[in-house]
Amino acid sequence: MRIVLDAMGSDNYPDPEVHAAVEASRTLDLEILLVGNEKMLRPRLEELKAGDLPIHLVHAPQVLEMTDKPARTARKKADNSMAVGMDLLKNGEAEAFVTAGNTGGAMANALFRLGRIRGVKRPALSAILPVVGGRAVLLDVGANVDCKPIFLLQFALMGAAYAQITLGVDNPRIGLLSNGEEPGKGNELVKETFPLLTGSGLNFIGNMEPKELYGGHADVVVTDGFTGNILVKTSEAVAKLMTDILRQELTSSFKIKIGALLSKPAFTTLKKMIDPREVGAAPLLGIDGLVFVGHGRSDAHALVSAIRLASQAVASNLLASVKESIQAKMSTLATSQDDE
């Protein structure tokens, strides 16, 4: 299995990417195609004594910075590391692509280089969140700030396919993120999406507030990319606040330190569960290729997790499953609408 890693994506590129490539190639049964400025990458690999590892450098002279305007720059910088990496994917030289770069840039390059799955209106970024009793899929978390109801319906279809493979759920429960559980609550987008999901044939369980999401009441929750992105970032900020306060309080006195020592296994489990680095990246569902986008602040640990997630998606045939789900369901919906 060959995974492309964009070496120029993270805020601190290329060091986290180089260390992740070395770690992943040592611990996972795959090859890494490390794409970026070869003059920067080769000395770092030599320092880490990675000469005997299955890491292949692919030169890309240009970088898509976080401040770049995605669509315009993706065309202007045709040799950026994302574009070169996605071309490898398109040409069958690799099975998946991972980046911690500009989300808009990843979206633009993916659309230009790989295109959408037939029938998909908009690709969506899908995050896996820890919830009571397990995990849940949330999408979109940043690819589409403004959405139409049909987009959210398709997000639900793609999210259901992703949950079946990633979470092992046969008939995923689908929730629609809103400011109230009752039908009729929400903005116009939510109100117009509700009947589409009701008639979709999916296991739609209705509107859902964040407390139900984290309470484990659904396997897939759909929303627009603006709301989803804020929800994820707020959740991560609150989780960090909680761990920082706990760390401070648990070292405030000798007696509390003793209690903290006894509770350390539980705190370690909690930290691992809420740490976004353990998942590492979100798949850009709806693109005709396996593209995974991580945080700009990703470190080597997060990027190794992202590579592992990408390899699992390849092994489980995620792309084919999403294609089949979208095309079969959209065909069924079109037929039912024609009948009406």
Side-chain angles (χ1 to χ4, degrees):
M1 188 186 297
R2 292 155 297 176
I3 306 293
V4 178
L5 177 60
D6 174 13
M8 319 302 285
S10 73
D11 295 344
N12 299 309
Y13 73 81
D15 290 324
E17 286 84 353
V18 171
H19 282 84
V22 170
E23 178 65 19
S25 62
R26 280 178 176 155
T27 58
L28 305 173
D29 185 21
L30 47 78
E31 297 178 32
I32 300 293
L33 303 183
L34 192 60
V35 182
N37 189 320
E38 191 172 354
K39 289 182 180 178
M40 295 179 69
L41 300 177
R42 192 170 295 282
R44 286 169 166 82
L45 286 172
E46 289 172 356
E47 285 176 14
L48 295 173
K49 297 180 173 56
D52 59 338
L53 295 174
I55 300 173
H56 311 285
L57 287 183
V58 180
H59 182 57
Q62 296 176 313
V63 179
L64 263 184
E65 304 288 356
M66 289 293 180
T67 53
D68 285 337
K69 293 186 177 179
R72 185 188 307 169
T73 313
R75 292 182 186 275
K76 189 176 177 182
K77 294 183 177 179
D79 291 324
N80 72 78
S81 55
M82 286 188 190
V84 173
M86 289 186 196
D87 279 344
L88 293 171
L89 188 59
K90 182 178 181 179
N91 297 333
E93 298 175 62
E95 284 73 49
F97 172 87
V98 175
T99 183
N102 183 316
T103 300
M107 174 80 130
N109 276 288
L111 288 171
F112 295 153
R113 304 285 172 167
L114 303 170
R116 295 188 294 263
I117 292 173
R118 184 169 57 86
V120 171
K121 302 289 185 183
R122 291 287 189 278
L125 270 177
S126 175
I128 297 176
L129 303 179
V131 300
V132 173
R135 297 179 297 166
V137 174
L138 174 70
L139 68 170
D140 182 18
V141 295
N144 305 277
V145 173
D146 298 305
C147 287
K148 297 179 180 178
I150 186 64
F151 300 172
L152 267 62
L153 170 60
Q154 292 193 344
F155 295 169
L157 296 172
M158 295 188 292
Y162 187 45
Q164 285 174 328
I165 289 172
T166 308
L167 307 182
V169 182
D170 290 333
N171 188 24
R173 298 163 297 167
I174 312 293
L176 177 61
L177 192 65
S178 184
N179 63 336
E181 300 173 50
E182 304 84 0
K185 279 291 185 73
N187 57 17
E188 288 305 310
L189 176 62
V190 171
K191 291 175 183 177
E192 291 176 19
T193 303
F194 192 97
L196 291 182
L197 290 173
T198 301
S200 67
L202 293 167
N203 185 13
F204 178 52
I205 60 175
N207 286 345
M208 183 161 293
E209 294 181 27
K211 69 177 186 295
E212 280 78 42
L213 162 61
Y214 284 108
H217 294 195
D219 304 298
V220 178
V221 177
V222 295
T223 187
D224 62 274
F226 180 79
T227 305
N229 189 267
I230 289 176
L231 174 61
V232 167
K233 287 179 177 175
T234 301
S235 301
E236 289 174 356
V238 171
K240 184 178 184 303
L241 174 65
M242 288 173 59
T243 54
D244 287 348
I245 291 172
L246 272 173
R247 188 181 299 112
Q248 182 179 339
E249 291 300 317
L250 292 172
T251 56
S252 60
S253 73
F254 178 74
K255 188 180 291 187
I256 292 177
K257 283 180 183 178
I258 296 298
L261 254 172
L262 296 173
S263 304
K264 189 176 179 180
F267 290 128
T268 301
T269 300
L270 174 64
K271 182 180 178 182
K272 187 172 182 180
M273 190 164 91
I274 64 176
D275 188 353
R277 300 183 311 151
E278 295 300 321
V279 175
L284 195 50
L285 298 177
I287 290 295
D288 197 5
L290 291 175
V291 174
F292 290 79
V293 183
H295 280 297
R297 62 178 180 273
S298 293
D299 59 11
H301 180 92
L303 288 166
V304 170
S305 297
I307 293 167
R308 184 182 296 109
L309 182 65
S311 68
Q312 291 168 352
V314 174
S316 60
N317 248 341
L318 174 64
L319 182 59
S321 297
V322 171
K323 283 183 177 181
E324 182 182 348
S325 174
I326 278 287
Q327 290 164 4
K329 186 63 69 173
M330 293 309 291
S331 175
T332 301
L333 288 172
T335 301
S336 65
Q337 287 170 359
D338 289 343
D339 291 342
E340 291 173 6

